[in-house]
């Protein structure tokens, strides 16, 4: 089957795109490739996929667990405990509800979006 399109970016709505982009810049090591008052884009060295952040002034903070979260990002890490500690130091929070046991952990970014860390590499 031929592709209709190529994924260019995953965009997260938030109230402060620069601040949320800085959090994920530190998580991924990616660089800011574009920034304005309303948008900030990060990209890895290959630039194939971008992670973007869009200002939505009245964007409600997501909650966890809640089916209204709509999506989440997964990050593969070599050590769950070490990654969790580093992410908490960057401003992530760890909700009480943790369905992953010792396989993965759910954290919340500074804007409240859920994301997971796992040692699974797939």
């Amino acid at each position: 089957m031929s592709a209709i399109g190529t994924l260019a970016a995953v965009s997260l709505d938030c109230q402060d795109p620069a601040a949320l982009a800085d959090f994920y810049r530190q998580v991924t090591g990616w660089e800011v490739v574009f920034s304005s008052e309303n948008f900030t884009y990060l990209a890895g060295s290959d630039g194939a996929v971008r992670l973007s952040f869009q200002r939505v002034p009245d964007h409600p903070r997501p909650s966890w667990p809640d089916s209204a979260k709509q999506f989440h990002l997964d990050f593969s890490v070599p050590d769950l405990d070490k990654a969790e500690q580093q992410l908490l130091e960057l401003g992530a929070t760890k909700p009480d509800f943790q369905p992953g046991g010792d396989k993965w952990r759910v954290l919340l970014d500074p804007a409240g979006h859920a994301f997971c860390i796992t040692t699974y590499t797939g």
Side-chain angles (χ1 to χ4, degrees):
M1 182 168 120
S2 63
I4 294 171
T6 301
L7 180 64
V10 174
S11 300
L12 283 73
D13 293 344
C14 59
Q15 293 185 9
D16 188 344
L20 194 55
D22 187 57
F23 173 81
Y24 282 104
R25 181 189 60 76
Q26 293 179 74
V27 171
T28 63
W30 291 4
E31 297 297 322
V32 173
V33 295
F34 175 81
S35 188
S36 71
E37 181 181 344
N38 293 311
F39 300 94
T40 302
Y41 284 83
L42 300 178
S45 60
D46 67 0
V49 176
R50 295 177 181 196
L51 189 56
S52 70
F53 308 89
Q54 176 178 333
R55 182 181 309 280
V56 176
D58 58 351
H59 186 265
R61 183 178 181 88
S63 62
W64 169 261
D66 186 339
S67 61
K69 70 175 171 45
Q70 300 178 3
F71 78 96
H72 69 270
L73 301 171
D74 290 336
F75 294 96
S76 179
V77 299
D79 181 305
L80 280 175
D81 292 330
K82 182 176 180 182
E84 177 184 318
Q85 180 61 36
Q86 291 172 312
L87 291 161
L88 294 173
E89 289 172 4
L90 290 177
T93 56
K94 184 177 178 182
D96 291 334
F97 181 62
Q98 293 291 321
D102 62 351
K103 305 273 187 226
W104 77 86
R105 305 220 178 113
V106 177
L107 299 174
L108 305 176
D109 71 22
H113 300 104
F115 67 96
C116 294
I117 56 173
T118 180
T119 55
Y120 179 73
T121 58

